[in-house]
Amino acid sequence: LGSVLFVMVLFYLVNWKDDDIRRYSWSIISTTVSIFTAVLVFSGVKELLFTLLEKFLPLKESEALRLVAEYSVFLVWFAAMHAMIAYQAGAWTEGAAAEMHTHHWVIADPMLAAFGEEIDEEDVRNPSGVKSIAYVDGIEVFVQKRHVARDTRERRTKCWAMLFAHMAGFSAISAGGELQQSALLRGSPLTAAAAAALNQALL
């Protein structure tokens, strides 16, 4: 019953009459899904990787090797995050900058399933401005001139940046926890707190 009530509240919030409420509701849902997805992917990849490494390295017997492995995994996720951001932003794509400055007419009515789809300029009633009316399948709809490629890259960059940032963050937490549980630093609350400061300095 609680789950049904929770879903009903979500539907209510994402269809609220206030634009800010709808936007922040979707933002919170997006962040929450990203966090749980990142936990699932990071945990699965870590378990698989460490299971394979244990066949070749004595990770269970050596704290030093486990620490090196943990921080190495973090560095891989951190580098993957930057690589994904660069790729989605078009830093490695030739002609991406020129493409992102190109305007296209798109359907601007969020109540339509075709919202955001490009349309031909000849279907626009007054193409001289940035907002107008167009005829789509014989129906008048609101249209707007937008940087479609830029908006797409921005949306995808935010999506993948958030996902990889969470995975890199969970990797840093895992490495810091391994450092804090090491024989050298787990002896007292003071050394445990020093582990947190040391982990922050290393990162």
Side-chain angles (χ1 to χ4, degrees):
L1 183 60
S3 300
V4 174
L5 179 62
F6 179 72
V7 174
M8 291 174 61
V9 171
L10 285 183
F11 274 112
Y12 199 78
L13 289 174
V14 298
N15 290 283
W16 197 278
K17 61 182 179 180
D18 190 293
D19 294 341
D20 292 332
I21 298 295
R22 292 200 306 270
R23 181 170 66 253
Y24 288 118
S25 297
W26 280 116
S27 177
I28 293 172
I29 292 172
S30 174
T31 303
T32 304
V33 171
S34 174
I35 290 173
F36 282 103
T37 304
V39 169
L40 179 63
V41 174
F42 167 71
S43 300
V45 171
K46 179 186 173 182
E47 289 298 324
L48 176 61
L49 181 60
F50 274 63
T51 300
L52 294 175
L53 287 177
E54 286 173 359
K55 295 181 179 180
F56 306 98
L57 298 172
L59 294 181
K60 292 183 179 180
E61 293 77 18
S62 174
E63 286 187 347
L65 280 178
R66 285 204 306 273
L67 281 173
V68 170
E70 288 279 1
Y71 280 98
S72 297
V73 170
F74 162 72
L75 290 176
V76 170
W77 282 119
F78 191 69
M81 177 189 69
H82 283 279
M84 180 58 72
I85 291 173
Y87 173 74
Q88 293 295 341
W92 296 344
T93 305
E94 186 177 355
E99 180 187 20
M100 286 189 285
H101 285 86
T102 305
H103 292 85
H104 295 280
W105 285 99
V106 297
I107 297 175
D109 189 347
M111 299 303 293
L112 297 178
F115 175 69
E117 290 186 4
E118 296 184 29
I119 62 171
D120 294 331
E121 188 172 339
E122 60 185 21
D123 295 329
V124 180
R125 179 186 297 176
N126 181 20
S128 61
V130 294
K131 294 182 179 180
S132 185
I133 300 291
Y135 293 96
V136 179
D137 297 329
I139 302 175
E140 288 187 346
V141 296
F142 295 108
V143 293
Q144 186 176 13
K145 188 182 288 186
R146 298 184 62 89
H147 297 93
V148 177
R150 186 185 66 185
D151 293 344
T152 301
R153 286 193 177 276
E154 181 179 353
R155 184 170 59 250
R156 291 177 179 175
T157 301
K158 288 180 179 179
C159 167
W160 288 105
M162 181 181 294
L163 183 62
F164 273 79
H166 282 133
M167 289 190 286
F170 291 132
S171 183
I173 292 172
S174 178
E178 189 69 33
L179 177 64
Q180 199 169 42
Q181 291 300 316
S182 62
L184 183 64
L185 299 174
R186 68 187 177 197
S188 69
L190 184 60
T191 55
L198 180 59
N199 186 64
Q200 185 67 26
L202 290 173
L203 301 180

